[in-house]
Amino acid sequence: MLDTVVKTTCPRDCYDACGISVVVRDGAIHKVKGDPDHHVTRGKLCQKCAIAYNGAFLDEGQRVAFPLKRIGPKGEGQFQAVSWETAFDDISRRLQVILAGHDARSIIHTHYTGTVSMIAGWFPIRFFNRLGATEVDPDTICNKAGHVVLEHMFGTSLTGFDPRQLRDAKSLLVWGGNPSATAPHMHDDWIRSESVPLIVIDPIAHETAQDADLHLQLKPGSDAALAFGMLHVMAREGALDREFLDAHTVGFELVMPAIEAATPEVTEAKTGVPAALIEEAALLFASGPSLLWLGQGMQRQPRGGNAFRAAVLLSVATGYLGQAGAGFCYMNGAETRGVDDEFLSGPELRKDGGASISHIDLAATLSHPARATALFTWNNNVLASSPAQDKLREALAREDLFTVVVDLFRTDTAAYADYVLPAASFFEFDDLVFPYFNNTMSAQAKAVEPVGEALPNQEIFRRLSLAMGFTEPQLYESDVAMLRRLIAQTSFEGSFDDLKAAGTVELCEPLIQFEELNFATPSGKIEVACESLAEMGQPLVPEAHADQAPEAGWLRVLSPASPWLMNSTYCNDAKIQSRLGTPKVFLAETELARRGLKHGDQVILRNATGALRLEASLSGDVPEGVALVHKGRWLGSSHKDANVNVLNAGLKADVADSTAVHGVLAELVRA
Ligand SMILES: Nc1nc2c(c(=O)[nH]1)N[C@H]1C(S)=C(S)[C@@H](COP(=O)(O)OP(=O)(O)OC[C@H]3O[C@@H](n4cnc5c(=O)[nH]c(N)nc54)[C@H](O)[C@@H]3O)O[C@H]1N2
Ligand SMILES: Nc1nc2c(c(=O)[nH]1)N[C@H]1C(S)=C(S)[C@@H](COP(=O)(O)OP(=O)(O)OC[C@H]3O[C@@H](n4cnc5c(=O)[nH]c(N)nc54)[C@H](O)[C@@H]3O)O[C@H]1N2
Ligand code: SF4
Ligand SMILES: [Mo]
C-alpha cells in the first residue's frame, strides 16, 4: 500500500481558500486533511470541511454518479440512470424545440459559487451566451448591492486591503461580517494572533464579536446612522482629513450637515449603541491607519446600499487611504493579481447584448410559461437559497418547465429536474483558485478519477455545445489552454504543474489599497456625491438612515451563515446533521419570556409569505427584537419541507435588485 499525497485547494465560497492534502491509496481517497505547509490552513481544515470532505464528498451513495432522467412526478426525486449520449441527445432536442418556438431568453440559467474555481465557475457561461439564454444575475442573491456601490464610489469593488497590512494598522473594524463562521482561519490565526485592537459592529454577539475590544451591537438596519455618528465624533475631534477630502473626494461637504446632526445621543437613540461606545470606537478607528472589513451580511438589508456607502466613509474621512495599514475590503478579485478573467465567460459569444434578471425575481419569472420555458441550474441550489420558497417550488413543479440541474448531490432543487447531470467534485479535476481575501494563487489538483461518469462543469457544457451543433471554437477551449492564459497574466513564472507542486503561491509584496489614489470613476476621485448612483434613483449622497423598529410583537429575522454549513452544501452529511440537530431559532430571554415560552419549546415563525416550525433556543448572543435562524438547511430537515427562505417574500435592497434577506420580519408563536 503506497500512499501518495496530492496538494489541492478548497474551492468553496470562503475567505480562507485552504490548502488541502489528499491522501490517495490504491487510486481512492483515503483521507482529506489540511495542508501543513499552507500559510492560512497550517494543517487544519475547518470543522465542517474536515467532516464533509471525509464524509458526503467521498460517499458514492450520496453523489450523483450518472446522468439521471426523471421517471416520476416533479419533486419526488425518482430518476433513472441514462448514458451521457441519451442525456445530451434528449436535452439538445428539447432545446432545439424551444428555440424553434420561443425566444432563447425564455431559457433561464442560474449559477453561483458552489465552486469558486475559475474554469468550473465561469466557463459554462460561454454556452449560455452562445445560446442567448437569460442569466439570473448571480451576485443578486449575495452581495450585489455592496459591489455596485463600491464600484460607483471607487471605480472597483474588487481591490480591497491586503490582509498583510494588519501589522501596520491601529485597529481592525469588522462590520457586518462573522469571520468566526465564514472565515474561520482568518478569525483564529489572523484576527486573534495580531495584537491589533478589534472593533465589531454586528447585531449578533458571535464569536468574533465576543473576541472584540469593542462590540457595537447595533439594531439591524441602523448601520448608516451609526456611521454618521462615528463621523460626527471624528469631525468634532478634528480627525477628519480636510486636505485629503478636498484632493481626492467629490461632494464630502454635502454629507457634513448630516454628520453634524448625528451627535452620539441622536445616534444612540437610532442605533441602540451607547453613546460612549460610539465615541470610543470612532476615536480608536481614527487614531491612525485602520482596516475596515465590510461583511457581506451587512448589505443584505432594505437600505444595504446606503448603509455601505455610509460605512465606507470611515475609511475615506480619516485620510489614511493609500497608506500602509489602511483601507477597506469587501473582497479581492483576481484583478489584484493582475488577472482579467472576463475571457472565461466568453462575452463575445453573446449577440443580443445579454439578458438578465435578479435572483429575487426567479420564482416570479419561472411561474410564467411564456417567460420561462427551460431552466438550467449549476453551482447553485436555488430551492434552499432563494427567496419566495413556496412560490419557487410551485414554479419548479411546472411540467412544461424543462429543467436541468448540474450538481454533485441530489439537492432539493435536483428533485425537480428533468435531468440531473453529475458534476465532478474538486478532487476530480484540475482548476485554479484566486482566493478572495489573500492575494495568492492556488492550484486545484486532480487527485482521483471522477465518481461514476461524473464530469467537470466545463466538460459537460463542451459536450452539450457539440450536441447542439455549435461551432464556435471558444466553446471547446481546453482546460490546459485556459489555465495557461490565467497563469500567464500573473507574476508567477512557472507552469500549472509547478503551481500544483507548490499548492499556493504568493504573487506580490503586501499591496497598499489605492496606493496611487487613482480611482476609475468619472471624476477620478472618490464619489461621495455620486451622480451615477443618483441616476439609478439613489440619493446623491448617503443618508444617516436607520430602519424603523418592527411593530410590537414582530421580530427581525437574521439568517446568516452557519459554522457547520457552506450555504446549503454539507447539509446531506450525516455527521454534520447530527452537529446541527433540529432546526432552531435563537432568541433573547426577554423575547421568550414575553411570549410565555422557554428554551426547547416548539415554535412557529410566520408572516404573510410563509411559516417555519423551529425549536426555540435561548441565546445571550441575540439582542431583543431579533430571531436568528441560520441559512442553508435542506428543506427536508424541517417540518413541511421548508427552511428560513420560506419567510422571505423576495425583499430587495435599495440598489441593483440585490437581496435584503436580513430585513425579513416575522411573528413568533407557540407551535
Ligand atoms: N435566508 C438566507 N438565504 C440566503 C443567504 C442568507 O444570508 N440568508 N445567503 C445567500 C448567499 S450569500 C448565497 S452566496 C446563496 C448561496 O446559495 P447557493 O449558490 O445555492 O449555495 P449552495 O447552497 O452552497 O449551493 C451550491 C451547490 O453547488 C453544488 N456544487 C458544488 N461544487 C459544484 C461543481 O463543481 N459543479 C456543480 N455543478 N455544482 C457544484 C453544491 O453541491 C450545491 O448544491 O444563498 C443565499 N441565500
Ligand atoms: N461557514 C460558512 N462560511 C461561509 C458561508 C456559509 O454559509 N457558511 N457562506 C459564504 C458566503 S456565500 C458568503 S457571502 C460569506 C458571507 O460572509 P459574512 O458576511 O461574514 O457572513 P454572513 O453570515 O452572511 O453575515 C454576517 C453578519 O451580518 C450580520 N448582519 C445582519 N444584519 C445586519 C445589519 O443590519 N447590520 C450589521 N452591521 N450586520 C448585520 C449578521 O448578524 C452576521 O453576523 O460567507 C462565506 N462563508
Ligand atoms: S470552507 Fe473555508 S475554512 Fe473550510 S476548508 Fe474550505 S476554505 Fe478552509
Ligand atoms: Mo454569498
Side-chain angles (χ1 to χ4, degrees):
M1 241 174 346
L2 199 58
D3 288 350
T4 51
V5 177
V6 179
K7 271 180 189 290
T8 188
T9 302
C10 178
R12 301 282 78 79
D13 188 340
C14 175
Y15 295 85
D16 291 357
C18 282
I20 293 182
S21 299
V22 184
V23 182
V24 179
R25 184 175 291 176
D26 300 330
I29 295 178
H30 174 64
K31 181 84 191 155
V32 179
K33 303 189 284 197
D35 179 354
D37 304 329
H38 191 270
H39 71 121
V40 171
T41 311
R42 302 188 205 178
K44 199 166 135 248
L45 297 179
C46 68
Q47 50 188 7
K48 59 189 178 300
C49 295
I51 294 174
Y53 288 163
N54 290 291
F57 268 64
L58 303 188
D59 178 354
E60 296 205 4
Q62 295 256 12
R63 289 283 302 278
V64 182
F66 301 94
L68 302 176
K69 181 181 161 78
R70 177 168 68 93
I71 51 170
K74 285 202 172 188
E76 304 228 323
Q78 295 164 28
F79 296 101
Q80 175 185 43
V82 295
S83 68
W84 276 112
E85 198 185 2
T86 303
F88 285 133
D89 280 355
D90 200 18
I91 294 169
S92 58
R93 192 178 46 76
R94 295 287 296 265
L95 288 179
Q96 301 290 11
V97 170
I98 288 170
L99 291 174
H102 300 265
D103 191 323
R105 287 172 293 188
S106 70
I107 302 167
I108 314 288
H109 81 106
T110 83
H111 62 102
Y112 206 46
T113 48
T115 175
V116 301
S117 67
M118 297 306 285
I119 302 180
W122 296 104
F123 177 83
I125 298 172
R126 291 190 188 182
F127 172 80
F128 294 102
N129 275 336
R130 168 63 183 82
L131 195 62
T134 293
E135 180 184 48
V136 181
D137 183 349
D139 286 343
T140 53
I141 197 63
C142 173
N143 55 19
K144 180 106 184 182
H147 278 304
V148 169
V149 158
L150 296 178
E151 260 164 46
H152 283 261
M153 287 180 76
F154 297 90
T156 177
S157 62
L158 292 170
T159 292
F161 64 66
D162 186 318
R164 291 170 289 181
Q165 294 299 338
L166 187 59
R167 67 181 79 106
D168 290 314
K170 282 279 187 274
S171 69
L172 169 67
L173 167 52
V174 176
W175 197 323
N178 177 10
S180 67
T182 62
H185 294 82
M186 295 315 289
H187 171 80
D188 285 348
D189 299 328
W190 180 72
I191 295 180
R192 274 181 173 159
S193 71
E194 314 248 353
S195 52
V196 173
L198 174 65
I199 309 166
V200 170
I201 300 182
D202 201 296
I204 308 289
H206 48 59
E207 223 181 297
T208 305
Q210 289 170 22
D211 277 356
D213 299 276
L214 304 174
H215 175 204
L216 281 58
Q217 195 167 13
L218 80 178
K219 293 179 189 158
S222 67
D223 299 83
L226 182 58
F228 276 83
M230 292 173 75
L231 289 163
H232 176 97
V233 176
M234 294 178 189
R236 194 193 64 203
E237 299 301 320
L240 299 191
D241 185 336
R242 303 285 176 173
E243 218 172 293
F244 177 93
L245 291 170
D246 287 344
H248 302 293
T249 70
V250 177
F252 197 87
E253 70 285 357
L254 298 179
V255 289
M256 276 316 293
I259 289 175
E260 273 152 28
T263 62
E265 295 67 35
V266 166
T267 306
E268 173 172 337
K270 282 178 154 185
T271 64
V273 180
L277 205 51
I278 297 168
E279 304 236 2
E280 204 181 340
L283 294 178
L284 175 56
F285 189 85
S287 66
S290 287
L291 298 181
L292 170 61
W293 176 328
L294 289 168
Q296 304 179 60
M298 194 261 266
Q299 47 88 66
R300 276 177 221 136
Q301 47 166 302
R303 293 205 56 194
N306 180 66
F308 243 50
R309 288 175 79 184
V312 76
L313 289 184
L314 263 53
S315 286
V316 173
T318 46
Y320 292 106
L321 216 54
Q323 298 182 28
F328 59 88
C329 186
Y330 195 29
M331 55 183 61
N332 282 309
E335 68 183 34
T336 61
R337 279 135 285 185
V339 175
D340 182 351
D341 54 13
E342 211 190 47
F343 77 92
L344 284 172
S345 54
E348 72 286 356
L349 290 161
R350 186 80 202 194
K351 298 300 177 214
D352 65 352
S356 80
I357 60 164
S358 164
H359 255 286
I360 311 306
D361 297 322
L362 180 65
T365 305
L366 294 182
S367 305
H368 254 275
R371 284 167 65 195
T373 54
L375 170 70
F376 281 74
T377 296
W378 53 284
N379 285 355
N380 197 198
N381 178 9
V382 290
L383 202 46
S385 309
S386 296
Q389 196 163 69
D390 282 340
K391 190 171 181 177
L392 181 58
R393 190 204 323 266
E394 232 173 85
L396 290 174
R398 272 179 52 203
E399 268 302 319
D400 57 342
L401 181 73
F402 179 61
T403 300
V404 178
V405 170
V406 188
D407 207 301
L408 276 70
F409 301 109
R410 292 194 191 198
T411 63
D412 292 301
T413 311
Y416 287 84
D418 292 284
Y419 277 95
V420 185
L421 303 181
S425 85
F426 74 105
F427 296 125
E428 300 163 353
F429 63 101
D430 286 343
D431 209 328
L432 203 60
V433 174
F434 288 105
Y436 62 75
F437 202 54
N438 287 291
N439 289 312
T440 49
M441 174 170 70
S442 307
Q444 173 185 309
K446 177 172 176 173
V448 290
E449 290 303 321
V451 62
E453 292 183 6
L455 294 171
N457 290 348
Q458 54 268 41
E459 185 56 22
I460 292 174
F461 287 98
R462 282 190 198 102
R463 294 191 192 186
L464 188 55
S465 294
L466 194 65
M468 291 294 290
F470 294 159
T471 54
E472 290 78 358
Q474 299 97 309
L475 297 168
Y476 304 99
E477 189 173 8
S478 71
D479 289 2
V480 171
M482 288 185 279
L483 292 172
R484 199 181 294 137
R485 285 174 75 178
L486 287 166
I487 292 173
Q489 296 181 60
T490 70
S491 61
F492 185 63
E493 286 176 354
S495 64
F496 183 68
D497 283 339
D498 297 325
L499 182 63
K500 276 210 276 198
T504 289
V505 291
E506 281 203 355
L507 295 173
C508 50
E509 294 298 304
L511 300 171
I512 293 177
Q513 188 192 22
F514 301 126
E515 190 169 13
E516 313 295 330
L517 296 173
N518 285 334
F519 302 95
T521 55
S523 61
K525 298 182 179 190
I526 299 164
E527 304 219 331
V528 178
C530 187
E531 293 288 350
S532 54
L533 282 171
E535 278 162 24
M536 292 164 58
Q538 298 304 308
L540 182 62
V541 291
E543 298 170 346
H545 169 85
D547 288 350
Q548 293 285 336
E551 278 173 42
W554 286 73
L555 297 164
R556 183 116 163 184
V557 181
L558 300 186
S559 52
S562 158
W564 291 105
L565 296 172
M566 172 50 66
N567 297 311
S568 75
T569 307
Y570 307 155
C571 204
N572 58 335
D573 185 288
K575 279 190 183 157
I576 297 269
Q577 278 165 10
S578 73
R579 297 294 197 286
L580 287 167
T582 50
K584 294 181 187 64
V585 51
F586 296 92
L587 295 153
E589 191 166 18
T590 45
E591 296 295 356
L592 287 175
R594 190 170 291 157
R595 293 169 179 82
L597 295 166
K598 58 182 192 320
H599 180 77
D601 281 349
Q602 290 293 309
V603 295
I604 292 177
L605 266 183
R606 67 176 185 204
N607 59 23
T609 308
L612 184 66
R613 184 168 167 153
L614 298 153
E615 184 182 306
S617 188
L618 171 65
S619 170
D621 304 344
V622 180
E624 259 185 60
V626 169
L628 171 66
V629 185
H630 293 112
K631 68 171 162 178
R633 291 285 190 143
W634 283 28
L635 309 196
S637 44
S638 303
H639 275 252
K640 293 218 174 148
D641 271 2
N643 72 12
V644 67
N645 283 321
V646 79
L647 300 171
N648 181 4
L651 276 184
K652 288 181 181 174
D654 47 356
V655 173
D657 285 349
S658 195
T659 176
V661 66
H662 290 165
V664 168
L665 300 175
E667 293 177 296
L668 179 76
V669 294
R670 186 184 291 281

